[in-house]
Each structure stands twice: as structure tokens, then as C-alpha cells.
Amino acid sequence: MIKILKYGDVSNDEIFARAVPSVNVEDAVSEIIENVRKNGDKALFEYCEKFDKAKLDSLVVSQAEIDEAVESVEPEFLRILEAAAVNIRKFHQKQVRNSFIINDEDGIVVGQKVIPVDRAGLYVPGGTAAYPSTVLMDSIPAKIAGCREVVIVTPPNAQGKVNPVILAAAKVAGVDRIFKVGGAQAIAALAYGTQTVPKVDKIVGPGNAFVAEAKKQVFGRVSIDMIAGPSEILIVADKDTVPAHAAADLLSQAEHDKMASAVLVTDSYSLALEVQKELEKQIPLLERAEIARASIDNNGKIIVADNLDSAIEIANEIAPEHLELCVENPFDYLDKIRHAGSIFMGRNCPEALGDYFAGPNHTLPTSGTARFSSPLSVDDFVKKTQYTYYTRQALERVADDVAYFARAEGLTAHAKSAVIRTQEI
């Protein structure tokens, strides 16, 4: 049963505690990465047989496989994928940044170019659940950014097939190539390249502890989006919140993972009790009841605060991945939120809207990193370069200042490189 904590009556350590994965995968992942770096496709085939029980002839998902998958998917689901993709594109189009140029002084031009990375690699999990939503959320911003190529890696099943809904989503999103490889070995393949899997410039997407550790270890050789931890939801709710709604929303994240964190913060002790009871009613009805039960019992909590302002401050301290404001007039509180991955406003905005359909991205900072990190966006798939142009006359106006600055740092060669161009040789 979820525990109820009265803020102020228990220690801050208990209020703000987070689940910490105990598994140590660093050495195992390091070995996998080194094997893939040295042996390429051979290592990938071996790991696929070992971990996925699939003996493959090819790592590539063929066009025929994609077409077959799309044909097998319900037309209604294809319609929903297309509708979701429209919303995601509409939202992310607003994130596109423009290059700029400044030339308001004679003989001086400075500017910045916004350039997409050449190739983006998306990891799509295929373990306890399939995530076509991840395909849309991760590939559409990359396409909008203008990446030359967007590729997916995802584990196959024992028959060597990729889940049809993932392939259907990839077609809707316009993904260029798809490869049958998962786990840390997939991340290694994207980072170093193999005979079949191309080396990418950016790796994004969620995964298990092995995938997260692999992203951590290859960071620097390639860019990554983030090191994602277990799923999180925090609901700030007032006394008029429907208990069944709050319980359902808590369970929407608890069913992800036994390590997931579901937290309710409210100013109503009676609501806390009702939600506690409601969770006990709803958990046994879930298909993933065992996972949800472990998450709620081990990591879930209901925090009773003195008032809603205090509840908001608790939410800011936790800095959750998903934050629901189940309160009257939620926009009155929006500016008070400083740290959250994504905010869901009002009583009719379950977090699931953000997972699938509304448009904002669902790849979000976890484990308190919302204090300094942002959701996945078009910005993740571009880089910026800058340029400078001075005529001789413009340089002459500032050369002595540049040289003075350089000498102040003890770098006389820097100083000379500025003034030599203004002197007769």
C-alpha cells in the first residue's frame, strides 16, 4: 500500500527520497562496447542470438518487412499514428531556430549558423512493452531539424521480427533505415559504426539500465540526449480532485517499471486517504499489476502539505519528469513551477495525453535533472557554428585593444597576430 507522509512530520530525506537502481552494469557494458568496436557485425549477431534468442541473416529491416508490418496493423491505429504525428510536428515546428547575421558596423560581419547533425540514431525499446510513441517523439524533431539521415535500432523478437507497430510508426515518421539490434550493443554500434550499422552523430531514446550505461560510456564520442532514469509522475491535487482520476494517473507511470516513482502531493488529508483506497481497487485490475504493485509499494508516496503553495514548492524540490496540476485554475500556478520536465494543466489533462498525442515531447529529464535539463526537442538535433569577418580597416580600429587584452593574459603571440596585419612589412 502506498504510504502517506505529512510534510513537516517526517524528515526531508523521506519526503524527497528517490529509487536508486542497485544493479551494477558498468563492467558488462564496457565489455560489450569493446567487443562491438572490435568485431562489428559479428558481435551484433552473437549478442542478438544470446540476448534476444534470434538467429538473424541480416541486421537490416527490409522494405518488404516494413510493408508487411504496415499491412498487419489495424487501420484505426494507423489513423491515430498519423493524427499524433500531425500534433507532434505542429508543436516541434515552433522550436526551429534561425541563423542570424550582424553587420551594423562598417567592415564587420559576425553571425551564427544553425546546422543539423548529419545522422541521428534513435534507440527504441522492445522488451516488456513496444513504444511506437517513442518512434514519433524522437524521429519527428530530427526530421524537422533537417538531419540528412535518421536511423532506428530496436531489438527483434525470437523470430527475428521487429514489432509491427514500431515499423508502422517509423514509416509515418519518415525514418530512413531500421536495424534489428538492441541493448548496449546497439548503442555501441551507433557510436562506432559496424559493417552494417552506420556511425551517428547523436543518440537519443530511452532504454534499460544497460542502454543508459552504454549511452553514458559513449558520450563524448557521440552526443546523447540524456541519461534517463526510471519513469516519474508527481501530481499536485486539491481537495476537489476525483480520487479515481488521481489513482489512475499515478498508475499510468507505475506500470512502466518496478523502479518507477508515483507521487501525489495534496493539501487534503481526506483526498490522500481516498486515493490510497482507490489505488488498492485499481492495481489488481491492471495487466501489469505486478509491476505497478512493486512501484507503488516501494517508491510511491502521498505527501500531505499545509497548502497548495507548499505543495508547489515540494514539486519544485523533487523536479519530476511529469507534473500534473490537478487544481482549479491551474494557470494561476504555472509561473510558480520552476523545475519539471513536462507540465499537465488541470483536471482533464492526464499525463497519457503527453505520452501519445498532444504534441509536446515525451522524452523528458528524470531523477531531478529537470532542474537543469529540458525535454527532447529540435535543438537536440542541431549544432551552431559562428563566423567573423573584418576588413583591414575594421581590424585597424581594434587591433591595439585585442593586443592589449592578449598581453594581459600573457599571450604575446596572440597580440602579435592582431597587430602584424596593421603594420607595413
Side-chain angles (χ1 to χ4, degrees), residues 393-411:
Q393 292 77 13
L395 175 60
E396 286 175 343
R397 295 198 300 268
V398 300
D400 288 342
D401 290 348
V402 173
Y404 192 107
F405 208 141
R407 285 191 291 269
E409 292 191 345
L411 299 175

Side-chain angles (χ1 to χ4, degrees), residues 168-186:
K171 183 170 183 179
V172 168
V175 171
D176 297 293
R177 289 194 281 171
I178 309 166
F179 300 95
K180 303 174 185 179
V181 56
Q185 59 271 25

Side-chain angles (χ1 to χ4, degrees), residues 24-318:
N24 185 355
V25 299
E26 184 176 344
D27 291 342
V29 167
S30 180
E31 182 179 325
I32 290 171
I33 291 174
E34 184 62 15
N35 189 13
V36 172
R37 189 182 71 81
K38 287 183 177 179
N39 297 305
D41 284 356
K42 180 176 182 291
L44 297 182
F45 282 118
E46 290 172 352
Y47 285 129
C48 195
E49 188 169 359
K50 178 180 179 180
F51 296 128
D52 303 312
K53 312 304 179 188
K55 194 170 180 63
L56 300 179
D57 295 321
S58 172
L59 297 168
V60 178
V61 176
S62 67
Q63 186 60 50
E65 289 177 290
I66 295 172
D67 293 340
E68 179 185 354
V70 172
E71 285 294 320
S72 73
V73 172
E74 291 287 339
E76 178 67 2
F77 186 58
L78 284 176
R79 181 193 67 78
I80 292 169
L81 283 175
E82 293 281 6
V86 168
N87 292 339
I88 295 166
R89 288 192 185 99
K90 186 187 302 181
F91 181 86
H92 289 82
Q93 283 283 1
K94 295 292 186 180
Q95 297 174 338
V96 174
R97 293 181 182 269
N98 296 318
S99 301
F100 65 80
I101 185 170
I102 301 171
N103 60 347
D104 53 6
E105 292 187 54
D106 287 345
I108 299 174
V109 179
V110 294
Q112 177 176 279
K113 290 179 61 179
V114 179
I115 307 169
V117 300
D118 282 345
R119 183 181 288 129
L122 320 178
Y123 186 88
V124 180
T128 58
Y131 296 106
S133 56
T134 294
V135 177
L136 299 182
M137 293 289 181
D138 289 3
S139 56
I140 288 175
K143 282 290 183 178
I144 290 173
C147 296
R148 292 184 179 181
E149 187 174 35
V150 177
V151 303
I152 280 178
V153 288
T154 189
N157 61 22
Q159 290 72 47
K161 299 289 187 179
V162 171
N163 193 304
V165 296
I166 289 177
L167 298 184
K171 183 170 183 179
V172 168
V175 171
D176 297 293
R177 289 194 281 171
I178 309 166
F179 300 95
K180 303 174 185 179
V181 56
Q185 59 271 25
I187 302 301
L190 292 175
Y192 290 94
T194 71
Q195 293 86 344
T196 299
V197 181
K199 181 184 182 302
V200 303
D201 303 298
K202 180 93 180 196
I203 299 174
V204 304
N208 62 18
F210 288 86
V211 170
E213 176 62 29
K215 288 169 70 176
K216 180 179 178 181
Q217 290 192 23
V218 301
F219 175 63
R221 174 165 291 276
V222 294
S223 177
I224 63 171
D225 52 351
M226 63 189 75
I227 307 295
S231 298
E232 303 170 342
I233 185 169
L234 188 148
I235 303 173
V236 172
D238 62 19
K239 62 181 178 59
D240 296 322
T241 298
V242 178
H245 295 177
D249 291 359
L250 291 171
L251 292 173
S252 73
Q253 292 306 293
E255 73 171 349
H256 265 300
D257 184 346
K258 292 181 179 180
M259 298 297 294
S261 171
V263 178
L264 172 67
V265 187
T266 180
D267 60 347
S268 169
Y269 190 76
S270 62
L271 178 69
L273 291 173
E274 289 302 314
V275 172
Q276 186 184 55
K277 293 175 186 175
E278 190 64 37
L279 285 167
E280 294 306 303
K281 293 179 185 177
Q282 293 189 25
I283 289 174
L285 305 178
L286 299 175
E287 290 185 9
R288 296 165 68 88
E290 181 184 359
I291 294 172
R293 167 60 67 192
S295 168
I296 290 296
D297 288 355
N298 298 329
N299 309 315
K301 65 188 78 167
I302 299 175
I303 303 168
V304 180
D306 291 335
N307 50 57
L308 286 180
D309 284 335
S310 177
I312 294 293
E313 282 308 305
I314 292 168
N316 279 324
E317 185 66 28
I318 292 174

Side-chain angles (χ1 to χ4, degrees), residues 316-337:
N316 279 324
E317 185 66 28
I318 292 174
E321 178 186 17
H322 306 97
L323 172 63
E324 287 189 7
L325 294 179
C326 291
V327 297
E328 200 70 27
N329 303 318
F331 284 94
D332 290 348
Y333 296 91
L334 181 58
D335 286 345
K336 297 180 180 181
I337 302 298

